[in-house]
Amino acid sequence: MSTEQAPPTLEHVAKVAGVSRATVSRVVNGIRNVDPELREVVERAIEQTGYVPNRAARSLVTRRTGAVALVVSEPTTHTDAFPGGVFADPFFGRVVSGVLRVLGPMDVNPVLMLVDSEKARRQLMNRLGQDRFDGVLLISIDPRDVLPAQLTMAKVPTVMFARPVRSIPISYVDVAHQDGARMAADHLVARGCKQVATISGPLDTPAGQDRLAGFRTAMARHGQAYVPSAEGDFTQTGGERATEMLLGAKFDGLFVANDVMAIGALEVLRKHGKRVPEDVAVIGFDDSGAALSCRPQLTTIRQPVEDMAAEMARLVVGHIGDKGRDVTSVIFEPTLVTRESA
């Protein structure tokens, strides 16, 4: 006869916690009107007994799958900004880390998906229509992308990383781009830079527009009425091209709208005999892994990606639990990280 111990049940948890089976069931199924202290007692009992909820049975009660899609939506024809190895980018590792921080303890699984074609979009929408996912965490910066609007029209609980390009009723988290650009301007001026230039991001994206506008406004307050600029595309190659375009202008400070483009700028400045920071001080934006891997290490504006992603997860869980909840935005504050380049 087998001596294997039977797995713990709701009844076991209820006995250890000293509550009713119904109370344990409400906690396990995420019912919101449970006293916080009582919920904590039940959660401790769950941990003590090693109880594992039956996901299939729970989904019959809650009509939830316990999974959300973490979607990177990119254009069908794209540049290096979102290459095929998109999930190898350290930025996405930071996003996943923040999402897991919140969803892990809730027993909700994020499923990473790359939506890079019309076929992939249809497949995602079909899976959502079949209730394969409870909601969507969406990263999309392409102005042509129709997926945000499709998700909104289908009333799928969705939260975006960054403000959508089009004005649609969708929740999102973002960083205060203009404030970050102002910090860059103030730092260059404080260093003694007299003439500065900037490489913007794509000007059909909110981040590209806001970072350029914030930098120009801040420099105007410092008395520099004209800031030479060149548009980049958030790739290293784009940063190299934009820097070459700017070399005809005289500048001793350069603000680049993301770290990856700033790496390209450093390469071109080095090629033309410009010392950083002695001849040109350079500041990036994001505080990505690229900021530490280059020489000199990059002074940059940090956006708290992990915290932003964690808030995305909290928001989508709230929308899943209450599909009538109003859309909202949460804006995070950037910080200046000073290193060798400025």
Side-chain angles (χ1 to χ4, degrees):
M1 183 173 63
S2 173
T3 58
E4 183 178 350
Q5 187 175 1
T9 64
L10 285 177
E11 287 76 10
H12 291 135
V13 177
K15 184 175 181 180
V16 171
V19 300
S20 69
R21 183 187 185 282
T23 298
V24 176
S25 178
R26 286 160 61 203
V27 172
V28 168
N29 289 316
I31 305 302
R32 302 177 75 182
N33 61 338
V34 178
D35 181 86
E37 291 185 6
L38 200 58
R39 181 184 297 276
E40 187 176 341
V41 169
V42 172
E43 288 173 347
R44 283 202 301 268
I46 290 172
E47 183 177 354
Q48 182 179 339
T49 60
Y51 173 73
V52 178
N54 183 319
R55 187 182 299 278
R58 186 175 64 181
S59 67
L60 290 175
V61 177
T62 63
R63 298 189 64 81
R64 299 180 194 170
T65 65
V68 298
L70 175 53
V71 176
V72 178
S73 182
E74 60 177 352
T76 304
T77 305
H78 54 73
T79 65
D80 318 356
F82 283 120
V86 62
F87 296 125
D89 190 315
F91 168 82
F92 296 101
R94 295 175 66 189
V95 171
V96 172
S97 175
V99 166
L100 288 175
R101 185 201 309 170
V102 172
L103 297 186
M106 296 182 178
D107 195 28
V108 175
N109 296 317
V111 178
L112 273 64
M113 298 184 66
L114 179 61
V115 175
D116 59 354
S117 66
E118 179 59 33
K119 179 181 178 181
R121 275 191 292 274
R122 287 198 304 269
Q123 289 174 339
L124 172 64
M125 296 306 294
N126 287 339
R127 295 177 75 176
L128 290 166
Q130 296 165 4
D131 293 328
R132 300 282 292 277
F133 299 112
D134 297 325
V136 173
L137 299 168
L138 178 62
I139 300 172
S140 169
I141 64 169
D142 190 276
R144 299 165 297 173
D145 192 4
V146 299
L147 184 57
Q150 287 179 337
L151 293 168
T152 298
M153 292 177 63
K155 301 188 182 305
V156 176
T158 302
V159 181
M160 288 187 66
F161 192 103
R163 187 172 90 240
V165 174
R166 300 171 184 170
S167 180
I168 55 175
I170 195 168
S171 291
Y172 65 88
V173 301
D174 208 345
V175 69
H177 299 283
Q178 294 203 29
D179 290 348
R182 174 185 53 77
M183 292 176 184
D186 291 349
H187 185 69
L188 290 174
V189 171
R191 279 187 55 89
C193 294
K194 302 300 183 185
Q195 294 174 297
V196 303
T198 185
I199 297 174
S200 76
L203 293 179
D204 54 4
T205 66
Q209 296 164 3
D210 288 354
R211 294 176 193 183
L212 177 60
F215 188 72
R216 279 180 166 164
T217 298
M219 289 309 305
R221 288 176 174 153
H222 287 294
Q224 185 166 333
Y226 171 64
V227 176
S229 67
E231 183 178 359
D233 60 2
F234 287 147
T235 71
Q236 181 171 335
T237 301
E240 292 171 357
R241 282 196 301 264
T243 307
E244 294 281 2
M245 292 172 61
L246 286 171
L247 287 176
K250 185 178 179 182
F251 57 90
D252 56 3
L254 179 65
F255 169 54
V256 188
N258 82 335
D259 294 343
V260 176
M261 289 195 299
I263 303 303
L266 291 176
E267 290 294 328
V268 171
L269 291 171
R270 186 179 299 113
K271 183 176 71 174
H272 287 271
K274 303 287 187 181
R275 298 169 301 161
V276 176
E278 293 85 356
D279 298 325
V280 180
V282 177
I283 298 180
F285 201 114
D286 287 337
D287 195 27
S288 63
L292 291 171
S293 64
C294 61
R295 294 292 179 270
Q297 290 189 341
L298 193 63
T299 293
T300 186
I301 305 300
R302 177 178 176 82
Q303 56 173 332
V305 173
E306 293 86 352
D307 293 341
M308 295 165 70
E311 185 61 23
M312 282 178 76
R314 293 188 193 97
L315 289 175
V316 83
V317 168
H319 283 302
I320 291 167
D322 179 5
K323 293 193 176 181
R325 176 180 291 195
D326 290 340
V327 298
T328 189
S329 56
V330 180
I331 307 300
F332 287 77
E333 294 304 318
T335 53
L336 173 71
V337 180
T338 306
R339 297 194 181 97
E340 300 165 353
S341 70

